[in-house]
Amino acid sequence: MNAPTSIAAALALVAPLCLLLAGLVPPAWARSKPVLVARLNGAAAWLAFACALAVAFAYAFGSARTWTLYSLEMPGRLGAFSVGAYVNAVTVIMLLLVSLVGALVSRYARNYLDGEPNQGRFHQWLSLTLAAILSLIVASNLMMFSLAWIATSLSLHQLLMFYRERPAAVLAAHKKFVASRIGDLSLLVAIFLIGSTLHTLEFEQMYAAMGTLHGPLPVALQWAAMLIVVSAALKSAQFPFHGWLVQVMEAPTPVSALLHAGIVNAGAFLVVRMSPIMSYSELALGTLAVIGLVTMALASLVMLTQTSIKVSLAWSTTAQMGFMLLECGLGLYTLAMLHLVAHSLYKAHAFLASGSGVDGFRAPAISYPDAGFRPARLIAALCTGILATLAVAAVFGITPDQQPALVTAGAIVAIAVSQLLLQAAEVARTAALLARSFALSVLVSSVYFALHAGFDWMLAGSVIPAQASNGGFHVALSLAVVMVFVLLLLIQQLLRHAAGSPRVGTLYVHLYNGLYIDVFFTRILQRLWPSPAPAPRVNETRLTEVGHELK
């Protein structure tokens, strides 16, 4: 290992260690000195971000390598459990992203929670949560990865339970806790199957072994890939276990920002990290794509009906996670990473600025008369968007023969561009405005494909591409994806232009309640494993004590 790579790997371990040390302060000290603990947490978070920058700089002059600090051989030829760092392009991107979001959330939380009785405890668990996430990102070993995966969930649970006296917060945290435990078990079984088949738990060695694989994927690894799908879907709040992500809004806003901008993305990160195995399992990728497509379609429609800003953002996150896992299921790992980075930055800003968002809704806006739904205008917008996107894709050398999955993604971009053109056509009064809208649409498509090309170049060698397939299932899946997006566009227009219709009003009510899917699963969970009772409020506890004293 050359010197820059050694430095990068060592600094990658220093980043979570800084936050771990900040989070291991004595609880009594955290309660008595909350302001000092908050400052310590912020300093550790910014130091971790500085380490991430140094890792990126050192990696630019090196290559993907593993640096092991400690190793212990496990029985049964499973491989070794080791504590170390695996640095490649995926590690660098995620380390920079999460450490930056963590530093910003820590700074925001210092002001947001100022004066809260449990401010010190919050910052202590925030440090431990960030340490667990960064450990997950830099882990060089599957067993270390799984331990960090579990630690992330357990420490996040303490943040979600910050207001223990709120019944809604306790129920949402309980539902998330149960879903996470099922996901943890799935991941541990998958790791056991991988270790028993490949006889290694090191990511670098796993990449090398799968790179030389010839023939069909062994049955044990097929099962491991399916279990990884289960774990990723549960981590990213996918259908039908998506309800908890919407209901954890009872937690403080910094927790929502960290969860939606960082932790919930771990499902996609897991799939990308395990691409050496996932890319050889057509069944697992297909299942993941279907789960993501159903989740995205449901959440996109429900989001349109919400009146609360934070709840609408939560449904947006659910839809984005579904879209991200759909991209992974189509084998578009680099596109999923681009989506992950963009979504994290956007959603962190959206949650931290959600209070100011109310002012934006109150601001006066120019209203235009509703001309009603015009099918001819919609068809024209679709045709124009498709032609513009196809032209831009051709410039970037994207053809159906070479990259069929990317063509499906291009069709989604075409539908999104059509939405922009349709909105412009509804308000534009001159040909010049329509021309500007068309030019903006072409620019959006160009930036999209250019960013994908850039991420494709950066991640070359860090992920194993999915095996190209033009079978009947993949063709049907691609057609289903395009049809779902077209249907979503039509339903959005219906909800906008036919809101006064009784049938549309009924659909609106059902969508507002998420089609009652989460209600059904909540009732089943409460029967099988009831949530704990919420803690009594501080003033209620004091009144009870006074009553006992009077007696």
Side-chain angles (χ1 to χ4, degrees):
M1 187 188 304
N2 54 36
T5 304
S6 302
I7 295 172
L11 288 173
L13 283 178
V14 172
L17 182 61
C18 296
L19 289 154
L20 178 63
L21 294 176
L24 290 179
V25 298
W29 198 61
R31 286 193 298 269
S32 61
K33 301 179 184 296
V35 176
L36 184 59
V37 172
R39 292 183 180 276
L40 179 63
N41 174 35
W46 284 110
L47 182 58
F49 178 61
C51 289
L53 288 174
V55 169
F57 180 78
Y59 176 74
F61 299 95
S63 57
R65 288 291 186 275
T66 299
W67 186 69
T68 303
L69 184 64
Y70 171 79
S71 181
L72 176 66
E73 196 68 29
M74 298 184 68
R77 297 186 63 200
L78 290 176
F81 163 69
S82 63
V83 176
Y86 177 58
V87 179
N88 65 357
V90 175
T91 306
V92 171
I93 292 172
M94 290 297 297
L95 192 62
L96 282 170
L97 175 67
V98 175
S99 60
L100 175 61
V101 171
L104 295 175
V105 168
S106 298
R107 181 63 186 89
Y108 181 92
R110 203 172 91 193
N111 290 342
Y112 183 89
L113 292 165
D114 188 31
E116 283 278 356
N118 295 318
Q119 179 186 2
R121 181 171 65 87
F122 177 89
H123 284 283
Q124 185 178 25
W125 281 108
L126 180 59
S127 292
L128 293 174
T129 304
L130 289 172
I133 302 171
L134 296 182
S135 298
L136 174 75
I137 292 170
V138 305
S140 64
N141 181 272
L142 279 167
M143 190 57 65
M144 178 184 172
F145 183 96
S146 66
L147 293 177
W149 179 276
I150 297 171
T152 300
S153 175
L154 294 177
S155 54
L156 175 65
H157 183 75
Q158 298 298 321
L159 295 176
L160 296 177
M161 291 285 288
F162 183 73
Y163 295 119
R164 298 174 183 270
E165 70 278 4
R166 298 182 181 180
V170 173
L171 177 60
H174 176 68
K175 290 162 64 174
K176 198 270 179 192
F177 183 85
V178 174
S180 296
R181 299 293 74 76
I182 299 173
D184 296 343
L185 180 61
S186 300
L187 181 60
L188 287 172
V189 175
I191 289 173
F192 172 80
L193 292 173
I194 293 171
S196 60
T197 304
L198 300 180
H199 307 298
T200 181
L201 297 177
E202 298 293 327
F203 280 113
E204 189 173 20
Q205 296 176 13
M206 181 183 71
Y207 274 55
M210 296 305 298
T212 59
L213 179 68
H214 299 287
L217 192 68
V219 175
L221 296 184
Q222 287 279 9
W223 279 102
M226 289 300 297
L227 289 170
I228 290 170
V229 169
V230 173
S231 187
L234 290 171
K235 195 74 166 185
S236 294
Q238 297 297 284
F239 177 88
F241 305 104
H242 57 275
W244 64 264
L245 184 61
V246 181
Q247 295 162 0
V248 294
M249 295 299 103
E250 290 287 337
T253 297
V255 179
S256 301
L258 181 64
L259 171 62
H260 288 257
I263 298 175
V264 78
N265 295 308
F269 174 68
L270 170 64
V271 176
V272 172
R273 199 56 132 181
M274 302 300 290
S275 63
I277 292 174
M278 300 298 296
S279 294
Y280 288 96
S281 178
E282 183 177 353
L283 177 61
L285 289 180
T287 303
L288 186 65
V290 171
I291 292 173
L293 181 62
V294 172
T295 304
M296 183 217 62
L298 172 66
S300 298
L301 293 176
V302 174
M303 179 188 67
L304 297 175
T305 65
Q306 300 304 305
T307 54
S308 168
I309 293 177
K310 288 182 68 176
V311 173
S312 179
L313 287 173
W315 278 107
S316 168
T317 297
T318 305
Q320 295 293 337
M321 290 302 102
F323 193 7
M324 206 176 295
L325 292 185
L326 170 63
E327 291 165 336
C328 291
L330 293 173
L332 301 173
Y333 301 126
T334 54
L335 201 56
M337 284 297 299
L338 170 61
H339 190 171
L340 191 155
V341 172
H343 174 262
S344 294
L345 295 175
Y346 156 71
K347 201 53 65 78
H349 173 268
F351 269 101
L352 297 181
S354 58
S356 304
V358 177
D359 298 330
F361 280 100
R362 291 174 178 170
I366 301 175
S367 60
Y368 297 93
D370 188 359
F373 178 61
R374 297 184 179 181
R377 180 180 286 175
L378 175 61
I379 293 173
L382 276 172
C383 293
T384 306
I386 290 171
L387 290 175
T389 306
L390 287 176
V392 174
V395 172
F396 284 88
I398 298 171
T399 60
D401 295 334
Q402 296 178 351
Q403 298 169 297
L406 193 56
V407 171
T408 304
I412 297 172
V413 176
I415 296 170
V417 167
S418 303
Q419 176 79 329
L420 291 175
L421 292 171
L422 185 61
Q423 292 177 354
E426 291 176 354
V427 299
R429 296 293 180 264
T430 63
L433 287 177
L434 286 175
R436 288 174 60 184
S437 302
F438 179 77
L440 179 61
S441 301
V442 173
L443 177 62
V444 169
S445 299
S446 302
V447 171
Y448 179 84
F449 288 113
L451 287 174
H452 172 261
F455 268 70
D456 211 22
W457 172 76
M458 284 192 296
L459 296 178
S462 294
V463 295
I464 293 182
Q467 302 301 299
S469 175
N470 293 317
F473 174 75
H474 279 271
V475 173
L477 179 61
S478 299
L479 291 175
V481 169
V482 175
M483 291 304 297
V484 165
F485 273 87
V486 173
L487 186 61
L488 286 174
L489 178 60
L490 292 173
I491 295 177
Q492 287 176 7
Q493 296 299 312
L494 182 67
L495 291 175
R496 285 183 58 200
H497 298 293
S501 169
R503 292 184 178 180
V504 174
T506 302
L507 175 63
Y508 194 95
V509 172
H510 293 323
L511 288 175
Y512 180 83
N513 291 282
L515 301 182
Y516 313 100
I517 296 169
D518 182 62
V519 175
F520 174 74
F521 281 96
T522 301
R523 289 175 178 175
I524 293 178
L525 177 61
Q526 289 295 79
R527 290 179 182 176
L528 298 177
W529 190 353
S531 61
R537 296 180 184 273
V538 176
N539 54 352
E540 292 176 355
T541 305
R542 181 56 187 159
L543 287 174
T544 304
E545 294 173 352
V546 171
H548 285 306
E549 291 174 359
L550 291 176
K551 291 179 181 179

